[in-house]
Amino acid sequence: MARPKIALIGAGQIGGTLAHLAALKELGDVVLFDIAEGIPEGKALDIAESGPSAKFDAALSGTQSYEDIAGADVCIVTAGVARKPGMSRDDLLGINLKVMKSVGEGIAAHAPEAFVICITNPLDAMVWALREFSGLPHEKVCGMAGVLDSARFRHFLADEFNVSMKDVTAFVLGGHGDTMVPLVRYSTVAGIPLPDLVKMGWTSQEKLDAIVQRTRDGGAEIVGLLKTGSAFYAPATSAIEMAESYLKDQKRVLPCAAYVDGAYGLNGFYVGVPTVIGAGGIERVVEISMNKDEQTMFDNSVNAVKGLVEACKGIDNSL
Ligand code: A3D
């Protein structure tokens, strides 16, 4: 059987890391697409030349032509601009909306059967716009944010408790941004919910609150340190986890920006929710019950995303 084909639209920091991880994990052959001449070709060749030492079998190529993504099984979209210090994710809206238009049309024309994972910010609005421009089925277009946000939360918690991050599960809902909703009640160490761990004296409520805030600010923390761009290792790893679940029909339960129609009181809207990712794409949106405070935070987050979607409609009247 032929190897799956993975098209990476955008060969910048995240795109290059995605290509490397996809090759190392032998998820399939990789095509890197970028408008910047030489960058996708150079990264593809460099990674291919690491193959003999890393011992993977995967073909890598770089291109400026959408024809070369033809028949891709998965497309991961990072095309656009990333944040610099002082910029919010929302500052990127106008520039990246135009990029989503060309990418959406390129995917529709050459890889309409693909499972599409958007990473470009502002995430929840860009994944919505990409779906609109591409016209692909809603369950085949999603956004990566929740896996990364919950990975950051899990890392901070594992560090605080001095336990393996493998035993820490964490739950993050809502939009990717300052209004994201880390759900403490549904986050656990080996099944023990965080509020119980506070009662058990493993940590204090103050420390837990600080970790929640650090999770919300996780992207900005990296931007502040790097100064020249935003996070790329963890974002790429998160998207690869989602792609792998699709390609291998793993049916992982992963939080991602998915189209929610009916659940959570939403009628046709992209927002971060727990989902099941398998061969059908987003096979299920998992609806959990929220208490009053959680619902208020979720509603705030949804309203922030709605504002961005309205801003997109104001910029491009084909939407
Ligand atoms: P960067 O290294 O700048 O790469 C972006 C690439 O896109 C560059 O190589 C550009 O040449 C290319 N590009 C620009 N316009 C087009 C186009 N029209 N078609 C094809 N390629 C194009 O950025 P990055 O890889 O660090 O980040 C990529 C995106 O991911 C940015 O929008 C970030 O804000 C976003 N991001 C999202 C998360 C989430 O958790 C959602 C995390 C980190 C970064």
Side-chain angles (χ1 to χ4, degrees):
M1 200 198 295
R3 292 179 203 139
K5 179 167 174 177
I6 300 163
L8 306 175
I9 315 296
Q13 296 282 59
I14 302 179
T17 312
L18 285 167
H20 196 195
L21 290 172
L24 287 172
K25 292 175 79 78
E26 294 191 321
L27 289 186
D29 291 339
V30 176
V31 178
L32 275 156
F33 172 98
D34 203 293
I35 50 167
E37 253 175 66
I39 301 285
E41 291 86 347
K43 290 193 179 183
L45 182 59
D46 191 15
I47 294 167
E49 288 169 354
S50 77
S53 303
K55 300 183 178 55
F56 59 73
D57 285 308
L60 290 111
S61 59
T63 185
Q64 278 78 49
S65 166
Y66 272 109
E67 276 148 37
D68 294 327
I69 73 162
D73 299 288
V74 169
C75 292
I76 308 182
V77 179
T78 60
V81 293
R83 278 197 291 172
K84 303 275 176 338
M87 281 172 96
S88 74
R89 292 182 180 92
D90 303 352
D91 290 337
L92 306 174
L93 188 91
I95 310 168
N96 287 349
L97 186 62
K98 285 203 191 85
V99 175
M100 289 307 102
K101 192 176 178 100
S102 61
V103 174
E105 289 167 357
I107 293 175
H110 299 285
E113 304 294 323
F115 179 56
V116 179
I117 302 169
C118 180
I119 306 186
T120 302
N121 269 321
L123 192 268
D124 304 271
M126 291 302 104
V127 66
W128 172 81
L130 182 63
R131 209 305 307 170
E132 293 292 312
F133 289 133
S134 70
L136 263 60
H138 287 103
E139 69 276 12
K140 298 296 280 297
V141 182
C142 66
M144 186 294 296
V147 176
L148 171 64
D149 295 331
S150 62
R152 286 179 171 148
F153 196 21
R154 287 169 65 192
H155 165 67
F156 298 144
L157 290 168
D159 220 30
E160 165 66 8
F161 298 136
N162 195 23
V163 298
S164 166
M165 62 187 87
K166 289 182 195 145
D167 296 320
V168 181
T169 63
F171 214 98
V172 175
L173 274 184
H176 179 59
D178 309 331
T179 59
M180 79 175 77
V181 187
L183 283 186
V184 165
R185 233 161 34 97
Y186 286 102
S187 304
T188 73
V189 173
I192 309 166
L194 294 183
D196 291 7
L197 290 166
V198 172
K199 283 187 207 137
M200 288 157 63
W202 278 41
T203 188
S204 63
Q205 189 58 47
E206 292 68 38
K207 280 189 177 165
L208 191 53
D209 291 344
I211 287 174
V212 165
Q213 193 53 42
R214 192 174 176 197
T215 302
R216 285 207 180 97
D217 298 337
E221 185 175 359
I222 305 277
V223 171
L225 290 166
L226 295 181
K227 296 190 178 65
T228 51
S230 55
F232 53 100
Y233 292 115
T237 310
S238 304
I240 288 291
E241 197 176 2
M242 294 164 67
E244 187 172 18
S245 188
Y246 171 75
L247 287 167
K248 298 184 180 170
D249 193 22
Q250 289 173 332
K251 304 198 191 295
R252 298 279 316 278
V253 181
L254 296 171
C256 67
Y259 185 71
V260 185
D261 196 11
Y264 293 98
L266 296 171
N267 296 321
F269 201 68
Y270 270 94
V271 72
V273 286
T275 66
V276 176
I277 300 180
I282 301 296
E283 295 185 346
R284 209 189 318 165
V285 166
V286 182
E287 188 172 15
I288 55 151
S289 70
M290 285 183 268
N291 64 28
K292 212 166 149 243
D293 288 351
E294 291 159 354
Q295 187 69 50
T296 306
M297 285 194 282
F298 184 72
D299 292 346
N300 274 344
S301 191
V302 168
N303 286 337
V305 178
K306 280 189 175 156
L308 291 177
V309 166
E310 287 310 312
C312 290
K313 290 180 182 166
I315 295 169
D316 186 319
N317 52 25
S318 72
L319 286 168

